[in-house]
Amino acid sequence: MEIIRTISEMRTAVRKARLEGGTVGLVPTMGYLHKGHLSLISRATQANRLVVVSIFVNPLQFGPEEDFGSYPRDLEGDCALAAQAGADIIFAPAVEEMYPGKTLTQVEVALLGDWLCGRSRPGHFRGVTTVVSKLFNIVQPDKAYFGEKDAQQLAIIKQMVLDLNFPVEIVPVSIVREEDGLAMSSRNVYLSAQARSDALVLNGALQQARRLYGAGERNSAKIRQEMLKMIEDAPGANVDYVEICDRSNLQPIESIDKGALVAVAVRFGKTRLIDNITLTEV
Ligand code: PAF
């Protein structure tokens, strides 16, 4: 596996691979890889000749009060894990390589980023879509792999690809959970033992939504209320949102007739966790 730091070397490597034939898969990450990322990488290896994993903690998607400086980083460990999972190239540019001067151009998908996570993280999705556009232009992948845990990010990127005609297929990959149900996240490392155990309420509340839906409940407000009560009862949990929305346009829905995305964001201390499930039409 090769580690590449510059855009020009990255372009050369992809050009060479293309001459040899086969498709290029990109797994964009911010590093500190966990099993969720590894499942993206192994999905990519099943379908592509060349698999590029980008590792870049993108300053543009962090707010001034957020954890850009302290975001966990471990390039050496990441390289070992990515190699085991079958990656061919790690693209790990420095911030100066990606943003050499004042950035005057950004990419923004209207509406979809205005609520859910966008409400408490203004500008976050603009930072994501800008860096993902840059990565698509640098690597020019045939397929790019994104986790369903960031359901809003996934919906926004799909819309961007559609609107801007990026010649890339977006492949969603299911959430990977710890044995006790906590969704894998690089930010789980911030949790104290107590907060880690309190955070299990997220999956608990989502499963309760699934049970209620399975038992025939279609009223979003009722399901949402039950979930809120469960989460608010958990010590240390500070709810950012609990929402039931349309899976593609992310707008809130009153009655779950055609399935829904149930999404939550909750703070435990300074750590903000997100999670979701999809309720499918029955
Ligand atoms: O999901 C992430 O890790 C990031 O938002 C992404 C897509 C790598 C862009 O920085």
Side-chain angles (χ1 to χ4, degrees), residues 53-91:
V53 176
S54 63
I55 297 186
F56 180 63
V57 184
N58 172 35
L60 225 56
Q61 69 188 73
F62 289 79
E65 305 298 318
E66 292 184 354
D67 56 345
F68 173 68
S70 60
Y71 194 84
R73 291 161 169 91
D74 176 13
L75 186 59
E76 211 179 305
D78 287 347
C79 289
L81 289 172
Q84 271 167 30
D88 300 297
I89 293 178
I90 294 282
F91 177 50

Side-chain angles (χ1 to χ4, degrees), residues 1 27-38 40-41 53-56 71-83 85 87 90 184-186:
M1 194 187 68
V27 180
T29 82
M30 297 206 298
Y32 215 70
L33 303 184
H34 51 66
K35 285 187 189 143
H37 296 114
L38 301 184
L40 300 177
I41 300 173
V53 176
S54 63
I55 297 186
F56 180 63
Y71 194 84
R73 291 161 169 91
D74 176 13
L75 186 59
E76 211 179 305
D78 287 347
C79 289
L81 289 172
I90 294 282
M184 299 251 177
S185 162
S186 302

Side-chain angles (χ1 to χ4, degrees), residues 39-217:
S39 85
L40 300 177
I41 300 173
S42 56
R43 263 300 277 286
T45 60
Q46 287 158 26
N48 300 281
R49 169 86 176 266
L50 184 81
V51 173
V52 179
V53 176
S54 63
I55 297 186
F56 180 63
V57 184
N58 172 35
L60 225 56
Q61 69 188 73
F62 289 79
E65 305 298 318
E66 292 184 354
D67 56 345
F68 173 68
S70 60
Y71 194 84
R73 291 161 169 91
D74 176 13
L75 186 59
E76 211 179 305
D78 287 347
C79 289
L81 289 172
Q84 271 167 30
D88 300 297
I89 293 178
I90 294 282
F91 177 50
V95 172
E96 301 71 41
E97 178 73 7
M98 289 296 274
Y99 302 114
K102 191 168 162 46
T103 299
L104 297 179
T105 307
Q106 297 202 7
V107 179
E108 181 158 23
V109 175
L111 299 176
L112 294 187
D114 289 350
W115 82 307
L116 297 176
C117 292
R119 237 180 356 213
S120 58
R121 303 189 72 189
H124 166 70
F125 289 113
R126 187 173 55 235
V128 171
T129 40
T130 300
V131 80
V132 169
S133 303
K134 284 167 75 76
L135 290 168
F136 285 175
N137 284 330
I138 294 164
V139 178
Q140 305 202 348
D142 299 281
K143 296 172 194 276
Y145 297 78
F146 292 89
E148 288 181 336
K149 185 166 84 64
D150 295 293
Q152 189 175 16
Q153 168 173 285
L154 181 59
I156 290 172
I157 288 169
K158 278 185 180 165
Q159 187 68 43
M160 176 187 84
V161 163
L162 191 70
D163 291 346
L164 299 185
N165 307 97
F166 278 105
V168 56
E169 181 193 336
I170 301 302
V171 184
V173 180
S174 308
I175 297 178
V176 178
R177 297 181 181 280
E178 304 279 3
E179 264 178 31
D180 59 9
L182 184 69
M184 299 251 177
S185 162
S186 302
R187 288 190 170 99
N188 288 350
V189 72
Y190 295 147
L191 297 168
S192 66
Q194 182 59 53
R196 164 85 184 57
S197 132
D198 295 343
L200 296 179
V201 74
L202 295 192
N203 187 43
L206 290 167
Q207 293 314 320
Q208 175 65 358
R210 195 187 289 292
R211 271 191 294 277
L212 291 168
Y213 182 71
E217 184 59 78

Side-chain angles (χ1 to χ4, degrees), residues 216-276:
E217 184 59 78
R218 294 292 179 268
N219 184 315
S220 295
K222 283 195 184 147
I223 297 180
R224 194 171 163 271
Q225 256 337 98
E226 285 238 11
M227 293 177 71
L228 271 171
K229 192 175 165 326
M230 264 180 94
I231 299 174
E232 281 165 355
D233 280 352
N238 190 354
V239 177
D240 184 349
Y241 64 75
V242 172
E243 298 293 353
I244 300 181
C245 41
D246 180 275
R247 283 173 288 175
S248 46
N249 66 20
L250 305 178
Q251 291 310 299
I253 49 180
E254 280 175 22
S255 172
I256 315 173
D257 301 318
K258 297 193 185 110
L261 175 76
V262 186
V264 297
V266 178
R267 283 178 209 281
F268 296 89
K270 283 190 175 161
T271 308
R272 182 175 175 281
L273 299 181
I274 57 172
D275 200 350
N276 68 78

